[in-house]
Amino acid sequence: MGRWKPDARGRLEQAALELYGERGFEQTTAKEIAERAGLTERTFFRHFTDKREVLFPHANPLRESLLTALDAAPDTAAPIDAVAAALESACGLFAERRELARQRQAVIAANTELQERELIKLASLASALAEALRRRGVAEPVASLAGEVGIAAFKVAFGRWIGEPDQQDLSRLVRETLEGLKAVTAGK
Amino acid sequence: MGRWKPDARGRLEQAALELYGERGFEQTTAKEIAERAGLTERTFFRHFTDKREVLFPHANPLRESLLTALDAAPDTAAPIDAVAAALESACGLFAERRELARQRQAVIAANTELQERELIKLASLASALAEALRRRGVAEPVASLAGEVGIAAFKVAFGRWIGEPDQQDLSRLVRETLEGLKAVTAGK
């Protein structure tokens, strides 16, 4: 494959996830990822600081997508409805990436340090949602609670989407999970 | 102070939290903690594997307390009510320890690695609650959701209890926060 073929980043990501799955995250080198993708190691380091960044991109498109949609929710929306709109909007990011997401979760599940990084990422998303809600004028502790339960619901819905091959629609699972949350907290 | 005075562990904990607050966690040694407590370094290592264990005890009394109370909840209790009973029961652990808890949170807030450890501890408590609910016959995703929201509510209530000097009763704050969660998830 030619060095300047489009979407080098996408090819590197796919190659990395394959190798992390086959050999383990620790046992895979940037050089091997580049080789599998038919690219040079130098190209790898143009796209990623290190092999962990393949799993946890600095740009964090999920965070961007959540916050953009939350800011766009109508002023009259209840906090949980603004969070729901943000989560459903973010689902679009994963539409074509289910197999990659499944591979990524398997790699993370196999490595304690990566699990810790994932928890930190989720906690920082909950904080970012709470902060965005406070900017909309939502008071504490409602802002923090809505951020925490939103991310908890997303995590549960995402796990079902990845784990249940017959579940095709992540945003439907997110809606169902938020409905489930309403029933759970009401003591049903 | 004599070496065999009772509650060496409690004195070591208090000395450690003072020093972590004054000098920073990284800058404090086990030797200094023992000296402040009027004990030997050897005594420190009889009670704690390392200085991090002062903040994150292996025995994890919070986890034990939560699970014992959850298992004791009536079979007919809704999952969230069983979780609420567990959280309220665990509040008793902190009744006499508010100042220590406040110091501990300040030390953790000042150190990224400790913050990460705290997130992992909280996530593992949410998983343990979900697992205990499944043992009671609660199905997924309800068990996971109830575990996650229970710990989210506890975290928010605990933060208020530590941060607001006029809030005296942690278990009342936990109840209020769970009520607030019900309103939040219902879109109020």
Side-chain angles (χ1 to χ4, degrees):
Chain A
M1 281 183 270
R3 185 168 167 192
W4 299 109
K5 199 172 160 178
D7 196 23
R9 190 181 170 98
R11 280 156 59 200
L12 288 163
E13 185 188 13
Q14 190 149 6
L17 288 170
E18 282 172 21
L19 287 166
Y20 297 166
E22 290 164 22
R23 304 181 188 178
F25 174 75
E26 291 294 348
Q27 286 72 45
T28 303
T29 66
K31 186 157 176 288
E32 290 165 338
I33 296 167
E35 276 169 13
R36 172 77 60 107
L39 296 163
T40 64
E41 196 174 352
R42 193 165 160 175
T43 303
F44 179 89
F45 286 113
R46 254 205 307 276
H47 289 280
F48 302 102
T49 312
D50 56 31
K51 62 182 183 169
R52 202 174 69 171
E53 212 214 317
V54 179
L55 301 169
F56 299 98
H58 292 160
N60 205 338
L62 176 54
R63 183 190 175 102
E64 294 306 310
S65 170
L66 285 172
L67 295 183
T68 304
L70 188 61
D71 289 343
D75 286 347
T76 52
I80 196 71
D81 294 329
V83 168
L87 296 175
E88 288 185 39
S89 155
C91 291
L93 289 175
F94 299 97
E96 304 296 320
R97 291 173 57 84
R98 178 165 159 159
E99 183 53 25
L100 291 174
R102 200 195 52 72
Q103 287 178 314
R104 178 180 177 278
Q105 288 307 121
V107 170
I108 289 171
N111 182 302
T112 307
E113 190 230 318
L114 298 175
Q115 286 170 37
E116 296 181 2
R117 180 61 38 201
E118 181 78 345
L119 286 174
I120 291 153
K121 196 193 81 177
L122 291 170
S124 112
L125 290 175
S127 298
L129 287 177
E131 172 63 32
L133 287 169
R134 286 191 294 271
R135 280 200 305 272
R136 292 169 66 89
V138 177
E140 284 299 341
V142 171
S144 288
L145 286 173
E148 294 279 350
V149 298
I151 294 301
F154 191 76
K155 186 175 146 187
V156 167
F158 203 81
R160 289 182 63 194
W161 182 62
I162 282 174
E164 299 173 17
D166 55 324
Q167 297 286 359
Q168 289 305 319
D169 187 352
L170 177 57
S171 68
R172 188 173 57 73
L173 284 172
V174 167
R175 275 195 300 279
E176 272 181 28
T177 308
L178 286 166
E179 277 301 309
L181 204 54
K182 192 196 286 191
V184 165
T185 56
K188 282 169 195 160
Chain B
M1 279 183 272
R3 185 168 167 192
W4 299 109
K5 198 171 161 180
D7 196 22
R9 189 180 171 99
R11 280 155 62 200
L12 287 163
E13 184 187 14
Q14 191 149 8
L17 287 170
E18 282 171 22
L19 287 167
Y20 297 165
E22 289 163 22
R23 303 181 188 179
F25 174 75
E26 291 293 349
Q27 286 72 47
T28 303
T29 66
K31 186 158 177 287
E32 290 165 340
I33 296 168
E35 275 168 12
R36 173 77 60 105
L39 295 163
T40 64
E41 195 175 352
R42 194 166 159 173
T43 303
F44 179 88
F45 287 113
R46 255 205 306 274
H47 288 280
F48 301 102
T49 312
D50 55 31
K51 61 183 182 167
R52 202 174 71 172
E53 212 213 317
V54 180
L55 302 168
F56 299 98
H58 291 161
N60 205 338
L62 176 53
R63 182 191 175 100
E64 293 307 309
S65 170
L66 285 172
L67 295 184
T68 304
L70 188 62
D71 288 344
D75 287 346
T76 53
I80 197 71
D81 295 328
V83 168
L87 295 175
E88 287 184 40
S89 155
C91 291
L93 288 175
F94 299 97
E96 304 298 318
R97 292 174 56 84
R98 179 168 159 153
E99 183 51 25
L100 290 175
R102 201 195 53 69
Q103 287 178 312
R104 178 180 177 278
Q105 289 306 122
V107 171
I108 288 172
N111 182 304
T112 306
E113 191 230 318
L114 297 176
Q115 285 170 40
E116 297 181 0
R117 180 63 36 202
E118 181 77 345
L119 286 175
I120 291 154
K121 196 192 80 175
L122 290 170
S124 110
L125 290 175
S127 298
L129 287 177
E131 173 63 32
L133 287 169
R134 285 192 294 271
R135 280 199 305 271
R136 293 169 64 89
V138 177
E140 284 301 342
V142 170
S144 288
L145 287 173
E148 294 280 348
V149 300
I151 293 301
F154 191 77
K155 186 175 148 188
V156 167
F158 203 80
R160 291 182 62 195
W161 182 62
I162 283 175
E164 298 172 18
D166 55 324
Q167 298 286 359
Q168 290 303 322
D169 187 352
L170 177 57
S171 69
R172 191 174 55 73
L173 284 171
V174 167
R175 274 194 302 276
E176 274 180 27
T177 308
L178 286 168
E179 278 301 309
L181 203 55
K182 193 196 285 192
V184 165
T185 55
K188 281 170 196 160

